């Protein structure tokens, strides 16, 4: 598997442009096309942990990234405006942001885990994303055994943190992936465990960093909604089927994940609209 990530993201227009007519429900709560409930009238409100390149980050003052493209596709299909709010990942992965109606759906490069499934409802997987180890060239780290008993940078409340603990390392938590990457670049830590899509981005941008190895954890990512919000979940699944069929999904994976695109994309045989 190729592990380095091409950083070039060609601004070739919206991948998910779609003609859609706005709609609203007649009830007391805001709704979109098909009666899908919304927390704010005329808007799809999405919780996302920014920055988390290439899933969601700010470029030229705009929110961009793979998850943002999926969110825009869903907003287009619902006939509403997209409103992405920056939310701490802890609030996303715990389900609290959804439970307190901060957003309609969470799209934040989030792995589907059994624990998280008790707190929120997930879509079918939309991306594969194994874990990997990144280190500085000067560290001499050659594998996971070399970080046992040592401090390793992780993003808090992620599967990378759990993997570090399970392998005898001492996790050093960072609130977001940007701070985690900054920490290894400035010498706060000399290694990081995180998803390959994220750390490949950092390695491609910094010659002082190396991608040490990948861990086949079978990790997959999904969108999340509040427990019982089946209408929103169904709407997202419908959008994903459209993006699969019209080629926009594959184009977005190629655009944002470059050299690891083939390892990241969901195979055609697994693109059925079923939840895990």
């Amino acid at each position: 598997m190729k592990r380095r990530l091409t950083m070039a993201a060609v601004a070739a227009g919206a991948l998910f442009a779609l003609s859609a007519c706005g709609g609203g429900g007649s009830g007391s709560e805001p709704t979109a096309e098909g009666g899908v409930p919304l927390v704010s009238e005329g808007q799809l409100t999405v919780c996302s942990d920014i920055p988390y390149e290439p899933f969601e980050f700010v470029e030229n003052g705009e929110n961009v990234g793979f998850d943002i493209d999926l969110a825009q596709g869903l907003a287009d299909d619902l006939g509403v405006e997209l409103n992405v709010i920056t939310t701490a990942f802890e609030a996303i992965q715990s389900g609290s942001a959804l439970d307190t109606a901060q957003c309609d759906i969470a799209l934040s490069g989030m792995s589907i885990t059994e624990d998280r499934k008790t707190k929120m409802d997930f879509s079918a997987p939309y991306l594969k994303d194994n874990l990997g180890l990144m280190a500085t060239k000067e560290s001499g780290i050659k594998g996971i055994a070399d970080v046992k008993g040592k401090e390793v940078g992780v993003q808090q409340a992620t599967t990378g943190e759990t993997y570090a603990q399970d392998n005898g390392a001492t996790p050093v938590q960072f609130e977001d992936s940007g701070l985690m990457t900054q920490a290894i670049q400035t010498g706060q830590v000399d290694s990081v465990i995180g998803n390959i899509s994220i750390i490949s981005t950092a390695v491609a941008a910094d010659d002082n960093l190396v991608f040490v190895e990948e861990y086949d954890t079978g990790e997959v990512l999904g969108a999340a909604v509040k427990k019982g919000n089946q209408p929103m979940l169904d709407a997202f699944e419908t959008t994903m089927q459209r993006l699969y069929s019209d080629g926009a999904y594959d184009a977005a994976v190629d655009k944002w994940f470059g050299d690891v695109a083939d390892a990241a994309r969901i195979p055609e045989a697994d693109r059925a609209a079923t939840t895990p």
Side-chain angles (χ1 to χ4, degrees):
M1 179 189 301
K2 293 182 179 179
R3 295 189 175 108
R4 294 185 65 84
L5 178 66
T6 302
M7 290 295 294
V10 181
L15 289 171
F16 300 97
L18 174 73
S19 298
C21 299
S26 57
S28 58
E29 295 184 355
T31 59
E33 292 281 359
V36 178
L38 300 172
V39 298
S40 296
E41 184 70 47
Q43 292 185 335
L44 173 70
T45 306
V46 177
C47 283
S48 197
D49 179 30
I50 301 173
Y52 196 56
E53 190 176 356
F55 291 96
E56 45 266 341
F57 62 104
V58 177
E59 184 175 77
N60 298 323
E62 299 289 334
N63 291 324
V64 297
F66 183 72
D67 283 339
I68 304 301
D69 284 348
L70 299 187
Q72 186 63 63
L74 176 58
D76 288 345
D77 285 352
L78 292 174
V80 296
E81 296 296 319
L82 176 62
N83 177 33
V84 179
I85 60 173
T86 300
T87 310
F89 191 72
E90 174 58 33
I92 294 174
Q93 72 91 30
S94 68
S96 64
L98 293 165
D99 289 341
T100 56
Q102 295 179 41
C103 52
D104 301 301
I105 190 169
L107 277 160
S108 195
M110 181 162 54
S111 300
I112 301 170
T113 67
E114 291 303 314
D115 178 63
R116 289 171 181 166
K117 285 163 67 174
T118 67
K119 303 168 185 175
M120 63 198 90
D121 289 338
F122 278 96
S123 69
Y126 64 72
L127 204 74
K128 300 186 296 179
D129 203 7
N130 284 327
L131 294 176
L133 174 64
M134 170 175 65
T136 62
K137 289 182 178 178
E138 294 78 9
S139 70
I141 293 172
K142 302 299 183 183
I144 193 69
D146 294 332
V147 299
K148 186 174 182 179
K150 297 181 180 179
E151 292 187 340
V152 176
V154 299
Q155 185 175 352
Q156 66 183 26
T158 63
T159 52
E161 179 180 2
T162 302
Y163 196 85
Q165 292 172 326
D166 290 347
N167 284 275
T170 301
V172 179
Q173 298 180 334
F174 296 95
E175 186 175 355
D176 59 51
S177 64
L179 293 174
M180 181 180 71
T181 299
Q182 184 180 15
I184 194 171
Q185 291 172 330
T186 57
Q188 296 180 58
V189 294
D190 59 12
S191 63
V192 158
I193 293 178
N195 291 102
I196 59 171
S197 57
I198 302 304
I199 62 177
S200 292
T201 300
V203 169
D206 191 332
D207 290 337
N208 294 317
L209 301 177
V210 292
F211 194 119
V212 178
E213 59 186 4
E214 179 181 344
Y215 310 118
D216 188 6
T217 58
E219 205 162 327
V220 291
L221 312 184
V225 300
K226 183 179 179 179
K227 276 285 186 183
N229 189 358
Q230 194 62 42
M232 182 60 71
L233 201 60
D234 290 343
F236 181 77
E237 295 288 6
T238 298
T239 291
M240 289 305 303
Q241 292 306 305
R242 175 178 67 79
L243 301 180
Y244 289 143
S245 64
D246 68 14
Y249 169 83
D250 287 320
V253 174
D254 290 339
K255 173 183 177 180
W256 295 112
F257 298 100
D259 288 348
V260 298
D262 288 340
R265 79 178 77 247
I266 296 294
E268 290 187 18
D270 298 331
R271 296 179 180 184
T274 56
T275 54

